[in-house]
RNA sequence: UCCUCGGUAGCUCAAUGGCAGAGCAUGCGGCUGUUAACCGCAGGGUUGUAGGUUCGAAUCCUACCCGGGGAGCCA
């Protein structure tokens, strides 16, 4: 632990003392004989005031020369100041320029997605990204706590696998000493083996999908947590997922209040995340899609989108009229607002293109098929908190799912759908226990039986009811943070056509 | 693979067939309490690439390249 400097996050413990801060220059303002250096050290931001008359010449030169993201060591006295970020300010007595930064590309102004993604290694230093990563960290920490407190053992499933588990999705193939191998798309089957050894386990690791999905809800590499519990049935499984999500949201709201504020996250939907989550069977979900209520809801959404568009158009025209006589700083505000309006109107335009299709898709939805992205979203619009959809037709579910003893057409699967359009963040179910059934399923799915020999052993030696689920870390982070896109929920996103930096 | 929107200064954008511009960033100057500080001056351009239409193209047409969003696909 370093003893020669303090963290900005700990400034409150040093009020009135003289301390040294080490970090990077976030932004600078100043006048003749005075400079305001906003220092960033990873734990927070702090304004350091450098008064030319109160520091030596070298310090003043260092403060004057320091450019954005230059590394600095600043010594000074700590005092409380409510106006400042973090509530404290440092009156500098000396400034040392550790390393001068040249032409930092990310300015404290607006940037486009492509530019920011190309500079992801630097973008991570920005306030919003800092907040997201802190929330991600809290979610990871809370997940471990949640499971560890209940006696789960964390175990790791292999990342390299010799076969495509479910046969359906596209995997990344690699050369494994001359043989084909694949990057895992799920640790679930190995998780079952580990649960039979330890009772309750969870895996925490990266997962890979080679699908050519180019949407805000997909990454090619993402992190998934997969608990697997022996002697847990579908209901137990749903309660476990519900308990986990409630814990995550509660912890983030209490421990990351500052971060959520920086992200301008609307807290109302998060406050409503309390058990019990509505349990909606697939049959009920289909009824919801077919309902008149859904049709009315879609019409209403189309109407309100049109109204909002008209409002924005009017505002745009009004701003244009006022623009001529506006002061310079007002003009800048108008410019910023204009960009915002354009962006929002593009979104609305897209909604207006999509909503009628979604409405039609809901009305004509056929029992026995899987929900499309829009169907999921439409279903969640009927509720004010996450919902659990369960008991799906087995056709589109994995071979290892247990059948519903009360209706053989159904598999005991469950998905948790997050509200606010975030969709599926958890997927899982109760696993089949009968060896003969599993062998038949493997054959019916056209999968090679020989690679499942070890999996079948789990049913030969003390087969028990068990279930589990997978929760996508980035989707959870994106939902809780209210992010527009999964790419901001992971430090270095891997997307179709993007593997750098 | 398909649909859709876009590519103009380092960055964000404007210029709707007629002189390529603004703000930010950078450099210099001014200002002793700034909060995306402010004020003044300066440098900065193969308008994604190739071709075509036109007296004249950032703007229209064709092809290609790159990116955003969506569909398909996807525990």
């Amino acid at each position: 632990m370093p003893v020669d400097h303090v963290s900005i996050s700990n400034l409150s413990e040093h009020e009135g003392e003289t301390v040294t801060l080490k970090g990077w220059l976030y932004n600078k303002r100043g006048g003749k004989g005075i400079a305001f250096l906003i220092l960033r050290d990873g734990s927070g931001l702090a304004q350091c005031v450098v008064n030319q008359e109160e520091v030596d010449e070298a310090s003043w030169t260092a403060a004057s020369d320091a450019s954005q993201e230059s590394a600095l060591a600043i010594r000074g006295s700590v005092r409380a100041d409510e106006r400042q970020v973090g509530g404290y300010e440092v009156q500098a007595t000396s400034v040392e320029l550790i390393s001068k930064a040249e032409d930092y590309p990310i300015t404290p102004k607006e940037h486009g997605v492509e530019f920011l993604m190309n500079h992801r290694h630097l973008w991570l230093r920005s306030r919003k990204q800092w907040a997201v990563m802190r929330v991600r960290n809290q979610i990871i920490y809370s997940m471990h706590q949640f499971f560890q407190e209940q006696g789960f053992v964390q175990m790791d499933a292999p990342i390299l696998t010799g076969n495509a588990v479910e046969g359906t999705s596209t995997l990344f193939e690699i050369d494994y000493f001359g043989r084909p191998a694949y990057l895992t798309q799920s640790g679930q089957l190995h998780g079952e083996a580990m649960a039979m050894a330890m009772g309750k386990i969870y895996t925490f690791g990266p997962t890979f999908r080679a699908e050519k999905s180019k949407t805000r809800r997909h990454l090619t590499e993402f992190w998934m947590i997969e608990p697997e519990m022996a002697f847990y049935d579908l209901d137990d499984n749903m309660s476990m997922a519900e308990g986990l999500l409630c814990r995550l949201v509660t912890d983030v709201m209490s421990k990351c209040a500052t971060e959520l504020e920086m992200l301008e996250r609307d807290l109302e939907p998060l406050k409503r995340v309390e058990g019990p989550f509505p349990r909606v069977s697939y049959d009920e979900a289909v009824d919801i899609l077919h309902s008149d209520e859904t049709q009315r809801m879609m019409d209403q959404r189309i109407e309100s989108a049109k109204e909002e568009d008209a409002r924005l158009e009017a505002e745009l025209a009004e701003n244009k009229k006022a623009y001529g006589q506006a002061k310079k700083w007002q003009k800048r505000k108008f410019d910023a607002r204009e960009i915002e309006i354009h962006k929002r109107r593009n979104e609305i335009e897209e909604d207006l293109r999509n909503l009628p299709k979604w409405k039609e898709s809901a009305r004509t939805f056929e029992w026995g098929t899987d929900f499309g992205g829009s169907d999921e979203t439409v279903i969640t619009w009927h509720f004010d908190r996450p919902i659990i959809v369960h008991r799906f037709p087995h056709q589109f579910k994995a071979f290892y799912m247990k059948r519903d003893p009360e209706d053989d057409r159904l598999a005991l699967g469950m998905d948790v759908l997050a509200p606010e359009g975030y969709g599926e963040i958890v997927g899982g179910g109760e696993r089949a226990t009968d060896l003969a059934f599993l062998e038949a399923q493997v054959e019916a799915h056209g999968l090679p039986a020989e690679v499942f020999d070890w999996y079948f052993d789990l049913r030969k030696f003390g087969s028990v009811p068990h279930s589990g689920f997978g929760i996508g870390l980035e989707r959870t982070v994106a939902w809780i943070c209210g992010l527009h896109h999964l790419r901001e929920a992971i430090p270095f996103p891997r997307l179709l056509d993007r593997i750098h930096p």
Side-chain angles (χ1 to χ4, degrees):
Chain A
M1 180 151 174
V3 290
D4 68 334
H5 62 283
V6 305
S7 289
I8 288 171
S9 59
N10 292 334
L11 278 180
S12 61
E13 298 166 17
H14 298 278
E15 196 179 340
E17 296 171 28
T18 297
V19 301
T20 302
L21 297 178
K22 292 185 176 179
W24 298 264
L25 185 66
Y26 188 75
N27 197 5
K28 183 166 81 168
R29 292 179 282 270
K32 182 173 179 162
I34 192 164
F36 302 96
L37 309 180
I38 315 295
L39 196 72
R40 172 185 75 73
D41 77 345
S43 79
L45 296 175
Q47 172 162 284
C48 303
V49 186
V50 186
N51 206 313
Q52 190 171 11
E53 290 170 4
E54 291 169 28
V55 298
D56 58 26
E57 206 182 318
S59 290
W60 179 250
T61 308
S64 308
D65 285 353
S67 51
Q68 197 188 348
E69 288 303 317
S70 288
L72 295 168
I74 301 177
R75 191 160 174 77
S77 59
V78 182
R79 67 180 185 215
D81 187 333
E82 277 183 14
R83 293 169 300 178
Q84 305 310 335
V85 277
Y88 291 87
E89 182 177 80
V90 171
Q91 186 69 42
T93 53
S94 78
V95 179
E96 183 199 342
L97 183 58
I98 296 168
S99 161
K100 183 170 175 170
E102 306 273 340
D103 282 346
Y104 188 68
I106 302 180
T107 63
K109 303 282 167 183
E110 278 232 358
H111 296 283
V113 176
E114 187 185 357
F115 178 81
L116 288 171
M117 287 299 292
N118 288 337
H119 296 84
R120 182 62 176 170
H121 52 297
L122 302 176
W123 188 19
L124 289 169
R125 303 180 183 195
S126 302
R127 259 155 70 95
K128 236 182 140 167
Q129 302 310 310
W130 177 88
V132 173
M133 290 305 134
R134 302 259 305 183
V135 172
R136 180 184 165 105
N137 175 65
Q138 180 62 52
I139 289 172
I140 291 170
Y141 188 57
S142 293
M143 283 215 193
H144 281 294
Q145 282 185 320
F146 177 83
F147 289 121
Q148 296 285 340
E149 284 165 8
Q150 297 180 67
F152 281 68
V153 176
Q154 199 247 306
M155 293 181 82
D156 301 305
I159 290 169
L160 296 172
T161 59
N163 60 284
V165 174
E166 289 165 33
T168 46
S169 52
T170 324
L171 305 189
F172 287 106
E173 189 176 323
I174 59 162
D175 175 63
Y176 193 75
F177 304 114
R179 278 186 296 161
Y182 305 89
L183 297 179
T184 182
Q185 57 145 341
S186 164
Q188 167 172 351
L189 300 186
H190 293 90
E192 289 186 47
M194 296 187 287
M196 296 307 126
M198 317 298 285
K200 291 184 285 189
I201 64 98
Y202 65 107
T203 66
F204 200 133
T207 304
F208 307 87
R209 303 280 163 89
E211 264 97 33
K212 298 203 169 175
S213 299
K214 220 176 108 176
T215 82
R216 68 182 79 177
R217 292 185 306 277
H218 292 87
L219 297 169
T220 53
E221 174 185 309
F222 60 98
W223 288 71
M224 189 153 69
I225 296 84
E226 295 179 279
E228 190 72 32
M229 298 83 71
F231 305 107
Y232 272 54
D233 66 14
L234 182 67
D235 286 338
D236 300 329
N237 200 25
M238 290 196 276
S239 302
M240 183 62 67
E242 175 184 287
L244 173 65
L245 290 176
C246 290
R247 170 68 178 269
L248 297 180
V249 171
T250 309
D251 279 4
V252 170
M253 281 202 297
S254 66
K255 293 177 181 162
C256 299
T258 313
E259 287 83 353
L260 291 177
E261 198 185 330
M262 272 184 192
L263 293 167
E264 293 170 30
R265 179 64 164 108
D266 180 4
L267 297 179
E268 289 312 310
L270 292 183
K271 286 181 188 158
R272 288 194 295 266
V273 179
E274 285 183 337
F277 298 163
R279 266 65 165 171
V280 183
S281 71
Y282 175 88
D283 284 354
E284 289 163 345
V286 172
D287 287 344
I288 289 173
L289 286 175
H290 289 164
S291 69
D292 295 340
E293 175 67 21
T294 291
Q295 294 293 302
R296 272 199 299 280
M297 185 183 264
M298 301 303 279
D299 289 336
Q300 216 168 53
R301 294 231 168 206
I302 292 170
E303 269 322 295
S304 64
K306 280 181 184 163
E307 277 167 28
E308 188 184 349
D309 192 53
R311 261 203 317 280
L312 291 174
E313 193 177 6
E315 187 186 338
L316 211 55
E318 211 157 290
N319 288 355
K320 205 156 244 173
K321 233 189 276 169
Y323 197 86
Q325 304 95 38
K327 297 237 166 64
K328 195 168 176 180
W329 65 271
Q330 287 171 318
K331 282 187 179 170
R332 205 170 300 160
K333 281 232 161 84
F334 281 139
D335 287 343
R337 179 67 186 148
E338 188 174 337
I339 292 169
E340 211 170 288
I341 290 177
H342 280 312
K343 210 186 266 175
R344 181 68 193 132
R345 287 191 74 192
N346 279 335
E347 280 172 20
I348 293 173
E349 194 187 312
E350 178 142 4
D351 284 350
L352 286 174
R353 264 200 308 272
N354 284 333
L355 283 167
K357 288 185 210 155
W358 291 12
K359 184 180 163 188
E360 182 64 10
S361 162
R363 196 179 62 80
T364 59
F365 185 85
E366 272 182 59
W367 195 99
T369 58
D370 201 357
F371 300 125
S374 72
D375 302 316
E376 273 185 2
T377 305
V378 170
I379 294 164
T380 61
W381 280 346
H382 289 263
F383 301 90
D384 69 345
R385 63 190 70 199
I387 60 169
I388 307 182
V389 184
H390 59 89
R391 291 180 172 82
F392 300 90
H394 66 80
Q395 294 93 312
F396 58 82
K397 286 290 172 185
F399 74 90
Y400 50 72
M401 289 252 184
K402 188 181 175 75
R403 289 289 170 82
D404 185 349
E406 286 169 23
D407 186 345
D408 195 53
R409 299 173 307 160
L410 304 176
L412 294 180
M414 63 114 179
D415 287 347
V416 181
L417 306 183
E420 302 171 83
Y422 284 95
E424 184 180 342
I425 53 174
V426 169
E430 187 171 342
R431 323 303 187 188
T433 48
D434 186 71
L435 179 60
F437 173 76
L438 273 175
E439 284 173 338
Q441 281 294 295
V442 165
E443 194 179 339
H445 281 76
L447 299 169
E450 62 275 12
V451 304
F452 294 102
D453 54 356
W454 65 270
Y455 187 68
F456 293 152
D457 273 358
L458 305 177
R459 272 69 182 178
K460 288 181 192 163
F461 305 108
S463 185
V464 301
H466 62 289
S467 37
F469 60 86
I471 174 167
L473 177 61
E474 286 75 19
R475 285 188 178 181
T476 306
V477 172
W479 164 50
I480 295 180
C481 288
L483 302 180
H484 189 65
H485 200 299
L486 235 45
R487 67 184 156 220
E488 290 182 45
I490 184 169
F492 292 98
R494 293 299 180 243
L495 301 155
L496 183 68
D497 296 332
R498 186 178 287 281
I499 196 163
H500 176 89

